Amino acid sequence: MMRPLSSKYEHLLDWLLHVNRGRQVKLGLQNMKDMQRLLGFRYTDRDFGSFHVAGTNGKGSVCWKLAKAMESVGLRVGLFSSPHISSFRERISVNGEAITEKDIEMLLPPVIETCAENDIPATFFELTTILSMGYFNMKQVDFAVYEVGLGGRLDSTNVLSPDVSVITSISLDHTQILGDTIEEIAQEKGGIIKNGTPIVTGPNCPHHVLKEIAARHGRQNSRESCYVEVPPRVMVGNDDLKCYEHAATVNNPVNDDDNGDKECDYNAENYDIALMALRQKFPEIDEKKVERALWSLPPCRFQQFVYLRKEMKCVDMTTMENNSSVVVENNDQLSNNSSNHDHRHYRGQEEPICGENRSSNNKVEVVLDVAHNEDAFRKLFAKVKKKYPRATGSLSHDCSSSSSSYYHVTTVMGLSSTKDVNSCIKHILMATDRVFFVNATSERARAASDLLSYALEKNMQGKAAVIEDGDVTQTLKSVTATSPQGDHFNNRREVIIICGSFFIMKEARAALNIPQIIDSFDLNERFKDRNVATSIKD
C-alpha cells in the first residue's frame, strides 16, 4: 500500500501523474498559446534567448553541450529536457541546479488554476513546458536550451521563438505516431524550422526534405532561413576521439570509396552539431574556451563507472574536474576577447583517459547508456566493440596490445514494446559475450521473456538469459556479484553495458549504489501515455 502523500510537491506530482487519464490527448499548439495568452509574458520566452533542439537521437546530448558551453563562459542558462531518470525536477534546471520542490509549489498551481478556470485540457508535457518558462523567467536566465519532446511541428516547445533551431539526426523511431518513413518523420521534426532563424542539421538527416521545408518558409514569408549542414566525421588512425576528422568539406565531398571507418563516435558528431549551433549566435566564438564543455556528456549517455565488488559501490570514471570559466555581463564572452577566469564544477562527464581505472577481479567496468532504438544501438555497440575488444586481432585502437586488454562484455537490456527488437538485438550480437534481459517499469515495456525469445531466434543459445524474472535490481546484483566462470573468460577484463530504455536507469543506478535525486514515488511519461493520440494526424 502506498504511503499517504505528505507534501504539496507530492500532491502536485500526483496530479500531474493523472492529468492525461480518461481523455484523448490531441497534439497541437493551441493549449500552449492559450496558457501563454492568459498567464502573460512571464510564461513565454520573450525575455531570454533560446536554442530549440529536435532529432531522433542526440538531441539530449546536444542540449546538454549547448547549456554547458554557455555556462562555462558565465552565462545563466536554463535547460529543459525529457524524460527524467529518477526525479521530475531533472527536467528543468538552471546552470546545472534542478528546480526545487518549493519553486514547483509556487509556480505550478497558478498554471493549473488557469487551465481549470478556462477549460484548457493541457497535457503533462504542456504543463511542464509552461512551468519551465515561468521558472526561467523567475531565474532571469540569459538563454534557455529546449529539447523537443516528440516530433517537433506539434510539440509544445514549438511556441518558442528561438535564436537557433537544431535537428540532430533523423531515423525511424516512434513510427506509430510520426510516420513510417524517414521523409514523414522529417516533415514533423522539420516543423521547428522558422522564418529567418538559422537551422543547424546533423550529418544523419535527409537534407533534401529539410531544405525544402526551409525554402518553403522563405518563399511564403520572404525571410529565408539560413540552412547549415554539419559535415560527417570519420575516424583516422585510432579510437581517440581527437583523431576523428571531418570526412567532407564543400569542395571535398565524401564518396563511397573513401578509406577509414565511417562509423563516427556519436559524441564527436554531437560536439560538432553543438559547436555549429553556438556559432550561429556567437560568430566570434573561441572553441578552446568551450571545448571541454562540448565534450561533456549528460548522465546515462555512455556514462562509465567502476563497480567495486567488495565495497558494493560504483566510482564514476567520467566526473569532470574543475574547469576554468569566464564571468562577464554580456554576450562577448564567447569570443577571444574574454579574460578573468574563475573555477566551476561541472555536473556531468567527459571521455575518460584511456587506460585509467581498469578492471580487476574486484572491479568491473559499467556503462550506462539510454540507447533505445536501432540507430542508437548501432552507434553504441560500434563504440563498445572498439573500446572493449573481445576477440584476437589488432588492438591498435586501444591503449595496449597485451592480453589484459581483452574484455568479457555483458549486456543488460530492457526495451519498449514499440521498438524493433530484431534490429536492436543484431547490433548487440557483434559486441557482447552474454545478454540478460530485464523488464523496464513501464506500461510500454516489452516483457523480458519476449526479448529472450527474439534472441533465441537469433541463435543466441547459451549467450542470452532472463534471471530473477527480469527484475532489474536482482539481475544486476547477480551479474556484479562474481566474475564469469570458465576457460573462455581467462584473464579478460569485465564490462557491463546497461542499455535499452530510460526506464531501467533509476533501478540500475540504485542497484549499483550510484547517488541520484529521487521523488517519493515514480512519475514519468511511461505512466501517462495510454490515452495519447495514436497518430500525429489525429
Side-chain angles (χ1 to χ4, degrees):
M1 182 175 179
M2 194 172 93
R3 69 171 180 80
L5 304 177
S6 61
S7 69
K8 185 177 180 180
Y9 171 71
E10 289 179 336
H11 280 282
L12 288 169
L13 287 194
D14 185 62
W15 186 87
L16 283 172
L17 171 65
H18 296 95
V19 70
N20 289 357
R21 295 286 176 94
R23 70 183 185 209
Q24 184 73 22
V25 174
K26 186 177 178 65
L27 298 172
L29 301 180
Q30 193 58 51
N31 289 343
M32 288 295 297
K33 292 177 179 178
D34 288 343
M35 285 190 288
Q36 288 186 322
R37 175 175 53 81
L38 293 165
L39 290 164
F41 70 89
R42 288 172 298 177
Y43 287 85
T44 71
D45 62 335
R46 190 193 74 172
D47 289 341
F48 55 81
S50 63
F51 290 74
H52 193 203
V53 185
T56 304
N57 293 310
K59 62 182 183 293
S61 293
V62 168
C63 285
W64 174 277
K65 292 173 188 298
L66 288 168
K68 291 302 170 189
M70 289 187 284
E71 286 173 31
S72 73
V73 293
L75 289 170
R76 194 167 181 79
V77 186
L79 176 61
F80 178 77
S81 61
S82 64
H84 64 266
I85 292 172
S86 60
S87 172
F88 172 78
R89 297 190 294 118
E90 297 168 34
R91 293 169 177 259
I92 303 169
S93 63
V94 174
N95 282 26
E97 295 289 342
I99 186 173
T100 65
E101 294 182 9
K102 186 173 293 186
D103 286 329
I104 292 173
E105 292 171 357
M106 178 177 61
L107 291 169
L108 188 55
V111 177
I112 295 173
E113 291 168 10
T114 297
C115 290
E117 291 170 359
N118 294 275
D119 196 26
I120 301 173
T123 66
F124 173 96
F125 197 77
E126 289 167 343
L127 290 162
T128 306
T129 305
I130 208 78
L131 170 65
S132 72
M133 293 182 177
Y135 183 66
F136 294 155
N137 274 298
M138 185 182 79
K139 288 293 192 179
Q140 297 181 319
V141 301
D142 300 301
F143 286 89
V145 182
Y146 272 82
E147 178 183 356
V148 169
L150 179 67
R153 181 174 64 95
L154 300 178
D155 188 79
S156 62
T157 61
N158 208 25
V159 296
L160 290 166
S161 299
D163 294 272
V164 182
S165 299
V166 181
I167 300 175
T168 57
S169 67
I170 295 179
S171 58
L172 294 176
D173 198 14
H174 299 294
T175 53
Q176 73 280 10
I177 297 175
L178 300 179
D180 296 325
T181 68
I182 293 293
E183 287 72 22
E184 287 179 309
I185 294 172
Q187 289 290 339
E188 294 304 325
K189 295 188 184 296
I192 71 167
I193 296 173
K194 293 181 173 62
N195 307 328
T197 300
I199 174 71
V200 175
T201 57
N204 297 303
C205 288
H207 296 293
H208 64 289
V209 178
L210 298 178
K211 284 180 178 178
E212 173 53 32
I213 295 172
R216 185 166 65 243
H217 278 292
R219 288 194 298 270
Q220 292 172 349
N221 298 278
S222 300
R223 293 184 63 203
E224 188 172 345
S225 299
C226 174
Y227 188 94
V228 182
E229 291 183 46
V230 175
R233 289 192 182 202
V234 295
M235 192 181 73
V236 178
N238 57 53
D239 198 33
D240 184 345
L241 287 177
K242 300 301 176 69
C243 290
Y244 281 94
E245 302 292 349
H246 290 294
T249 63
V250 174
N251 297 316
N252 183 30
V254 175
N255 64 69
D256 294 335
D257 297 325
D258 284 342
N259 295 320
D261 182 357
K262 290 187 172 59
E263 186 57 70
C264 176
D265 186 289
Y266 45 82
N267 197 31
E269 181 178 298
N270 292 334
Y271 175 108
D272 291 341
I273 295 170
L275 177 60
M276 189 67 76
L278 287 170
R279 283 176 170 160
Q280 306 314 302
K281 181 62 181 175
F282 309 104
E284 300 301 319
I285 183 173
D286 180 2
E287 183 178 350
K288 291 183 179 179
K289 294 187 184 299
V290 296
E291 181 179 25
R292 194 169 192 181
L294 291 175
W295 281 122
S296 70
L297 294 163
C300 298
R301 274 73 162 187
F302 214 86
Q303 188 173 14
Q304 299 169 266
F305 298 88
V306 171
Y307 183 77
L308 306 175
R309 287 194 166 100
K310 291 179 181 178
E311 296 85 351
M312 292 192 297
K313 69 176 183 180
C314 274
V315 177
D316 192 345
M317 293 174 64
T318 47
T319 300
M320 295 181 72
E321 300 175 356
N322 285 353
N323 184 53
S324 295
S325 304
V326 182
V327 180
V328 294
E329 295 182 352
N330 58 50
N331 291 342
D332 293 335
Q333 58 268 58
L334 289 174
S335 71
N336 285 306
N337 298 326
S338 303
S339 60
N340 301 324
H341 293 70
D342 72 357
H343 292 282
R344 177 171 310 182
H345 183 72
Y346 278 87
R347 291 166 178 80
Q349 39 168 337
E350 65 179 358
E351 292 290 334
I353 299 172
C354 192
E356 292 185 353
N357 296 313
R358 293 299 194 179
S359 304
S360 67
N361 286 338
N362 183 48
K363 299 177 183 178
V364 54
E365 293 185 40
V366 176
V367 174
L368 301 181
D369 195 290
V370 292
H372 58 280
N373 55 46
E374 181 186 2
D375 186 54
F377 266 78
R378 175 176 57 83
K379 291 182 177 181
L380 168 61
F381 283 96
K383 182 168 183 173
V384 168
K385 189 175 181 180
K386 291 187 179 74
K387 195 168 189 66
Y388 304 110
R390 298 164 48 237
T392 58
S394 172
L395 294 176
S396 60
H397 51 263
D398 210 318
C399 296
S400 171
S401 59
S402 67
S403 60
S404 61
S405 293
Y406 292 110
Y407 280 82
H408 183 280
V409 181
T410 297
T411 298
V412 176
M413 169 188 165
L415 203 65
S416 168
S417 60
T418 60
K419 307 303 179 183
D420 185 344
V421 180
N422 285 322
S423 296
C424 292
I425 287 178
K426 76 178 182 183
H427 295 297
I428 295 177
L429 281 172
M430 69 176 184
T432 196
D433 293 287
R434 58 178 184 167
V435 183
F436 294 98
F437 296 109
V438 295
N439 297 308
T441 51
S442 165
E443 293 179 344
R444 295 177 294 184
R446 192 179 294 275
S449 56
D450 290 343
L451 293 172
L452 178 60
S453 297
Y454 279 97
L456 296 179
E457 291 175 3
K458 296 287 186 182
N459 298 316
M460 292 181 69
Q461 289 84 355
K463 292 182 63 174
V466 172
I467 56 178
E468 303 292 345
D469 296 320
D471 181 83
V472 176
T473 300
Q474 295 304 317
T475 297
L476 282 172
K477 285 184 177 179
S478 176
V479 170
T480 56
T482 59
S483 297
Q485 302 299 311
D487 293 339
H488 66 284
F489 179 65
N490 295 324
N491 293 319
R492 293 157 71 186
R493 302 178 186 275
E494 299 174 64
V495 63
I496 300 171
I497 312 298
I498 304 170
C499 63
S501 174
F502 276 90
F503 307 133
I504 67 172
M505 293 299 163
K506 176 184 174 182
E507 290 177 81
R509 294 198 298 195
L512 298 168
N513 290 320
I514 298 171
Q516 58 185 335
I517 59 170
I518 60 172
D519 294 321
S520 58
F521 63 93
D522 213 343
L523 172 70
N524 224 317
E525 290 149 324
R526 53 192 168 187
F527 293 110
K528 67 178 184 63
D529 62 350
R530 64 175 58 170
N531 294 305
V532 298
T534 56
S535 170
I536 204 86
K537 303 177 182 66
D538 285 354

